[in-house]
Amino acid sequence: MRDRATQALVKLAACHQRITTWLRDLGLELKPSKTRITHTLTPTDGNVGFDFLGFHVRQFPVGKTHAGKTGGRHPTRLRFTTLITPSKAALQRHQDALARIIDRHTAAPQAALIQHLNPVIRGWTNYYATVTSSHAFSVMGHHVYLTLRAWAQRRHPHKSRGWIAERYWHLSRGIWTFEAPEGLRLYQHSRTPIRRHVKVQGAKSPYDGDGSYWTIRMGRHPNAPPRVAAMVRRQKGRCALCGLYFRSEDLLEVEHLLPRSCGGDHSHRNLQLIHRHCHDVKTAQDGSCAGQGAEDNSQIAEEPDDAKVSRPVLKTIRSGD
Ligand SMILES: [Zn+2]
């Protein structure tokens, strides 16, 4: 296996040489600090895998039952699995950032400290929520606990550990939580759920006419706004007006069945997800709630629907990988 890995690296080195020559003719060159040849499965010269944008990408050998398959018409079984985790450097950066915030709040009230820590922890865990991060999250959570314990002990050098714990930590649903007297709680790393990115199936294409596959995928996409994703699932991927499948490039809108101006609320029973073009057609046809079954509608003002209620919501959804 190691021999095969070495051979592969030698081949890649040859490719590197040819690319370099080819680029030179165009007046370009590869940046040495950003170019590295590495094996992702077999350690070679003490190196394995690579870091990219704060992620560490590496493969591990696995048995038959855990291995995936290649795509295509004649799939073969892979003998490894790919794990993407937060990189060591990224863990260190996050740890330093949290330590700096805690240091800056040595004498500040507990609530102020929590207020500054929470958005940093939330943002960081969201960034890593689509890869293999649970272990990193629990390690970071423990590290935050140790740093906060030191922070509390520095504030009360003459008090017992028990006294300090009782003052700054409280039991919340069976878990010890760093919580201010005002009720503000520290956001824990492990509270961010891992939502694995689902790869597009081997032979699938957005042009294959399998609308349900693509819209169901859209409803599970980690980047889809949660409310829209839930509505896509509830409506089985179809527009509530025209009944056609949503496609990833469609502009979608959330519409109130009973307009806000007529007392409609934001509950999911009063909301439906529709194509923007279907919405435009509908507003051109009615656009008011007056006369809905009422004999005497003199008291219902004829107001057009609130324009702010409908807005494009699916801009963040991208198709494919
Ligand atoms: Zn439609």
Side-chain angles (χ1 to χ4, degrees), residues 56-70:
H56 183 67
V57 181
R58 198 186 154 173
Q59 292 168 327
F60 294 88
V62 285
K64 271 189 210 155
T65 47
H66 288 78
K69 281 183 193 165
T70 58

Side-chain angles (χ1 to χ4, degrees), residues 1 40-43 48 58-64 66-67 78-83:
M1 188 122 114
T40 48
L41 181 62
T42 316
V48 63
R58 198 186 154 173
Q59 292 168 327
F60 294 88
V62 285
K64 271 189 210 155
H66 288 78
L78 300 166
R79 293 205 203 132
F80 53 82
T81 187
T82 306
L83 290 186

Side-chain angles (χ1 to χ4, degrees), residues 239 241-243 275 277-278:
C239 168
L241 290 182
C242 69
H275 289 117
H277 53 260
C278 292

Side-chain angles (χ1 to χ4, degrees), residues 120-133:
V120 176
I121 298 174
R122 257 203 204 95
W124 192 83
T125 52
N126 278 339
Y127 183 71
Y128 290 105
T130 55
V131 298
T132 314
S133 298

Side-chain angles (χ1 to χ4, degrees), residues 209-258:
D210 187 354
S212 70
Y213 172 80
W214 289 101
T215 36
I216 287 169
R217 191 173 189 283
M218 191 152 93
R220 294 203 189 115
H221 201 286
N223 285 347
R227 182 172 73 149
V228 175
M231 294 178 87
V232 169
R233 288 196 297 268
R234 211 178 302 129
Q235 292 175 203
K236 307 241 177 346
R238 291 170 189 267
C239 168
L241 290 182
C242 69
L244 296 176
Y245 283 118
F246 294 123
R247 287 175 307 169
S248 49
E249 67 271 24
D250 287 345
L251 285 174
L252 308 188
E253 298 202 346
V254 174
E255 190 204 34
H256 289 79
L257 287 172
L258 182 64

